[in-house]
Amino acid sequence: MNDGTKIPKNHRDAALAYAALGIKVFRVRRDKAPYANCPRCDKASSIYVKHRPEECQCGVPTCHGFWAATTNPALIHKWWTEEPDANVGAPCKLNGWAVLDIDPRNGGHTSLSALEQRVGVLPGTVMQITGGDGLHILYQAPAFDLPGQPFPGIDFKHNGYILLAPSVHSSGSRYQWPGDGRFRKPTTPWPAALLPAKERRAVPAPRPAARRHTFPSVRTAGRPGGGRMWTVEDLVQHVMDGREGDRNNTFFFAACRAHELAEQNLISLSEAETALMHAAAAVGLTDSEARNSFDSAATRPSDRTWAA
């Protein structure tokens, strides 16, 4: 029987508790941008070397972002002693997880209800209440890559990462495991009905409900004028998920969305700028590259009709 593990409220002790369970963790800033995690990438360090992540010499594929995630207690102790309030991040795929990220601000609860009407009630598993009143539903990862955002307000987190309790959301609320607050490793496989169609062919899918539900449109659940309602956290995640060789374009896209949303008073431009510059550094863009892209985005042609 899996009685679970009580997670301490102190961030460092929580990170150590997760690591003791074999879960790889890493530091994340309050704006969800990861820290650079080795001295060669720390600009305040005497041995800082300007380089891209793929050129890092710290001994891992890249020391930036979730690639730095570890179960090493000495390193975890060092990280959170340096930054006691750093949030606790966990890469999904590297920990064998796939996560449904339900965001109520963008219609996630409505989409989840419609999804279950279509494919049947999803299998019970471990869940986490996010600091933004959303929900993380954790499953064991499938052997296939998953689409990033299949429905309004729902992300499939597979190649990305999530924050773990007791991390603090930008709203000031904490992430938490429901009920008794204990963490239990997910043991339920990713639902077959949510596999990509080409991988699902061999798996009989549940019959849809007699009543057919329509998923909310992006326009209904999104920003004024249509398109996805991006938050600062979404923009940071988009930068972090950018593929090697396309990071400048990915960052520029995020910067354009930031300026556009700020013009509509939907986000704070200064908050977005700070978060995106941290994210740019974490994926290996130089200060000048990121600054030029961000400033260029301010003078972009109008693209408000672009449904991202």
Side-chain angles (χ1 to χ4, degrees):
M1 180 177 179
N2 184 2
D3 292 329
T5 300
K6 191 69 175 179
I7 301 299
K9 294 182 179 179
N10 176 280
H11 288 201
R12 182 193 63 190
D13 293 343
L16 289 168
Y18 289 120
L21 296 171
I23 298 167
K24 296 179 179 179
V25 295
F26 65 106
R27 296 183 298 180
V28 183
R29 301 176 190 272
R30 287 291 174 87
D31 58 19
K32 287 195 173 181
Y35 289 82
N37 289 302
C38 81
R40 291 177 178 270
C41 300
D42 181 357
K43 294 181 180 179
S45 169
S46 62
I47 61 171
Y48 168 69
V49 178
K50 184 180 291 188
H51 62 280
R52 294 183 178 274
E54 58 270 24
E55 298 168 352
C56 185
Q57 301 298 312
C58 66
V60 294
T62 166
C63 77
H64 299 276
F66 57 69
W67 291 109
T70 184
T71 58
N72 184 325
L75 186 53
I76 291 170
H77 188 278
K78 176 180 180 295
W79 284 349
W80 269 273
T81 297
E82 293 173 350
E83 298 287 346
D85 294 329
N87 281 330
V88 182
C92 296
K93 193 172 185 178
L94 294 180
N95 279 312
W97 302 343
V99 179
L100 270 80
D101 184 0
I102 313 300
D103 181 1
R105 296 167 300 179
N106 291 319
H109 292 333
T110 303
S111 290
L112 179 61
S113 176
L115 174 64
E116 291 194 321
Q117 288 287 345
R118 176 174 292 185
V119 304
V121 176
L122 298 177
T125 186
V126 176
M127 293 188 292
Q128 178 178 229
I129 300 170
T130 72
D133 292 328
L135 194 65
H136 287 155
I137 306 176
L138 284 69
Y139 290 102
Q140 289 185 335
F144 318 104
D145 285 336
L146 300 171
Q149 190 191 33
F151 315 111
I154 297 181
D155 282 348
F156 287 174
K157 293 287 184 68
H158 190 205
N159 293 317
Y161 62 91
I162 61 172
L163 298 185
L164 300 179
S167 295
V168 180
H169 188 262
S170 58
S171 65
S173 299
R174 289 187 179 273
Y175 289 69
Q176 57 183 308
W177 303 109
D180 59 6
R182 292 179 178 272
F183 169 74
R184 296 164 176 84
K185 281 188 175 183
T187 58
T188 305
W190 180 260
L194 301 184
L195 287 172
K198 65 179 180 180
E199 310 296 351
R200 195 172 62 234
R201 289 171 186 159
V203 182
R207 287 185 174 275
R211 179 185 175 190
R212 190 166 185 176
H213 289 253
T214 302
F215 286 96
S217 68
V218 174
R219 182 177 296 275
T220 299
R223 58 182 170 81
R228 175 178 176 179
M229 177 59 189
W230 293 81
T231 65
V232 173
E233 294 165 356
D234 293 332
L235 296 174
V236 168
Q237 182 72 53
H238 182 72
V239 173
M240 298 304 301
D241 289 343
R243 295 183 178 181
E244 186 177 327
D246 195 40
R247 288 169 179 152
N248 272 306
N249 290 334
T250 300
F251 180 84
F252 182 69
F253 175 91
C256 287
R257 301 287 75 70
H259 282 284
E260 175 187 343
L261 293 167
E263 289 167 3
Q264 300 174 59
N265 295 317
L266 296 174
I267 63 171
S268 162
L269 184 61
S270 61
E271 179 184 346
E273 180 179 3
T274 300
L276 288 176
M277 293 301 287
H278 282 316
V283 299
L285 296 180
T286 65
D287 286 343
S288 60
E289 287 174 327
R291 173 53 55 198
N292 288 339
S293 288
F294 193 86
D295 291 345
S296 295
T299 59
R300 74 204 181 289
S302 176
D303 56 2
R304 292 183 180 178
T305 59
W306 181 3

